[in-house]
Amino acid sequence: MKLKTKIMSAVAGAAVLAGANAASADITVGYFLEWPMPFQYAKATGMYDEALGTTVNWRAFGAGTEMSAAMASGDVQISISQGVPPFVVATSSGQDLQIVDVAVSYSDNDNCVVAEALEIDKDSADELAGKKVAVPLGTAAHYNFLKQMSHFGIDVGSMEVVNMNPPEGSAALAQGAVDMFCGWGGSLRRALEHGNVLLTGAEKEELGILVFDVTSVPAAYAAENAEQLATFLGVTAKANDMWNSGQHTDEMLPVIAKDAGMDLDATKSTIDTFVFPSREEQLGAKWLGGGAQEFMKGVADVFVEAGSIDAALDTYDDAVNVGPLEAAGM
């Protein structure tokens, strides 16, 4: 069958509602459980509340597409670790969102797993034609899936693609209800108990399949709350610096694990595969200085070709706002 599922986020103008909602002192921030990051230490210890002088409300999501919808409705002002693909889907359909920092890079922690009973690996990947795969559409995992299938010359239209968030997808793989799972985090770890990946993170990077998440906000919120946003990003950068120094691991890891809803070993094995770029690195050419904008255009073009979105923007330069991150270092 043809994969013609359309992944449309809220129409342009919905972000105005988010801006109006953000006028109050309190803010709501979206994030993921089972996705351990240094910001969670700052979240759990009250660093954000203290720096902002207000209460930060936190809301867990299952996928980046849900974050886009929540920002469109005004329920969420900041989304931490939204995947680039769902961000691209939203902005391509007219939602006025902006990337304000690079949250994490993780090529080894977003992948597709083939059921072990099939005994399919990269040398026999063509046998995936006609198989059933669980993919959270419009996410980094979806982009990952499309790029891998393109690399192996597999017509996605020949596969049965089922839209499932990672927790449901990994459960379906374990039950034998699907032949392949695509996802991240704890769900990926559970899926690996029942199958194998086709390509490692390093092999994907060699093919240009990058995987990174961003912090995103409605453009109206960024314009109306520039100081608050810069302060928030400053706390995030401080937590990242603490983690990257290696001097606070014993102090931070248990707090992060508890907040992520994970045990200590699982948290360590997951976060060890993550890279948290410094504020200076994020502002460089590789990331927000041009690399992210170019990458988003590539993601959008892949989604257009797959029939997942109607059209790509001519450029994604306006979808990146480095002002708040620059101000965070002042």
Side-chain angles (χ1 to χ4, degrees):
M1 75 176 190
K2 286 282 187 180
L3 177 60
K4 287 292 183 183
T5 305
K6 299 297 181 184
I7 318 157
M8 302 302 290
S9 299
V11 296
V16 173
L17 295 175
N21 189 64
S24 62
D26 292 356
I27 58 172
T28 298
V29 180
Y31 73 108
F32 295 115
L33 291 172
E34 294 194 322
W35 196 242
M37 297 174 63
F39 85 86
Q40 289 172 286
Y41 176 82
K43 167 183 179 290
T45 59
M47 288 171 60
Y48 286 105
D49 292 351
E50 182 179 355
L52 292 165
T54 188
T55 300
V56 179
N57 304 302
W58 299 87
R59 179 175 166 186
F61 287 90
T65 48
E66 296 173 1
M67 288 177 165
S68 295
M71 287 189 287
S73 68
D75 292 337
V76 167
Q77 288 72 55
I78 302 174
S79 292
I80 293 185
S81 211
Q82 183 180 35
V84 171
F87 178 88
V88 168
V89 168
T91 53
S92 298
S93 64
Q95 191 173 349
D96 198 4
L97 299 178
Q98 293 179 333
I99 289 172
V100 291
D101 83 4
V102 175
V104 59
S105 176
Y106 56 99
S107 60
D108 267 319
N109 220 308
D110 189 308
N111 217 332
C112 295
V113 178
V114 183
E116 58 187 353
L118 296 178
E119 297 184 345
I120 295 175
D121 59 20
K122 63 183 178 183
D123 295 321
S124 55
D126 58 327
E127 295 177 23
L128 287 171
K131 296 296 189 289
K132 187 175 183 179
V133 54
V135 183
L137 298 181
T139 67
H142 184 200
Y143 173 73
N144 191 344
F145 162 69
L146 292 174
K147 291 291 285 186
Q148 288 197 53
M149 295 305 97
S150 175
H151 168 69
F152 288 116
I154 299 168
D155 178 11
V156 173
S158 72
M159 307 176 76
E160 183 178 356
V161 179
V162 183
N163 184 18
M164 286 187 180
N165 278 345
E168 291 76 25
S170 62
L173 184 75
Q175 295 161 5
V178 298
D179 301 306
M180 186 164 71
F181 152 94
C182 296
W184 57 80
S187 300
L188 174 59
R189 288 197 311 278
R190 289 188 288 274
L192 286 169
E193 297 174 2
H194 306 280
N196 58 277
V197 299
L198 297 173
L199 296 171
T200 65
E203 288 171 330
K204 289 190 300 176
E205 287 187 351
E206 288 179 6
L207 297 174
I209 305 175
L210 303 178
V211 185
F212 65 98
D213 288 357
V214 301
T215 297
S216 57
V217 301
Y221 168 75
E224 296 169 13
N225 301 272
E227 184 177 350
Q228 184 182 65
L229 180 55
T231 300
F232 184 92
L233 296 178
V235 174
T236 302
K238 181 178 179 179
N240 285 343
D241 289 344
M242 289 175 64
W243 178 262
N244 289 338
S245 74
Q247 298 174 11
H248 304 276
T249 305
D250 292 343
E251 172 191 357
M252 297 178 73
L253 192 62
V255 177
I256 293 171
K258 182 178 180 180
D259 193 77
M262 302 167 66
D263 64 49
L264 207 57
D265 289 342
T267 300
K268 188 177 188 310
S269 65
T270 299
I271 203 170
D272 281 351
T273 67
F274 289 173
V275 175
F276 305 101
S278 68
R279 193 184 68 87
E280 291 74 18
E281 289 171 331
Q282 292 176 49
L283 291 170
K286 178 180 178 179
W287 297 112
L288 303 184
Q293 294 88 325
E294 182 179 346
F295 181 74
M296 283 191 283
K297 176 61 174 172
V299 170
D301 289 342
V302 167
F303 277 176
V304 170
E305 184 178 352
S308 299
I309 61 176
D310 290 325
L313 301 179
D314 292 334
T315 175
Y316 288 82
D317 289 351
D318 291 341
V320 174
N321 180 1
V322 298
L325 189 60
E326 289 175 335
M330 295 179 181

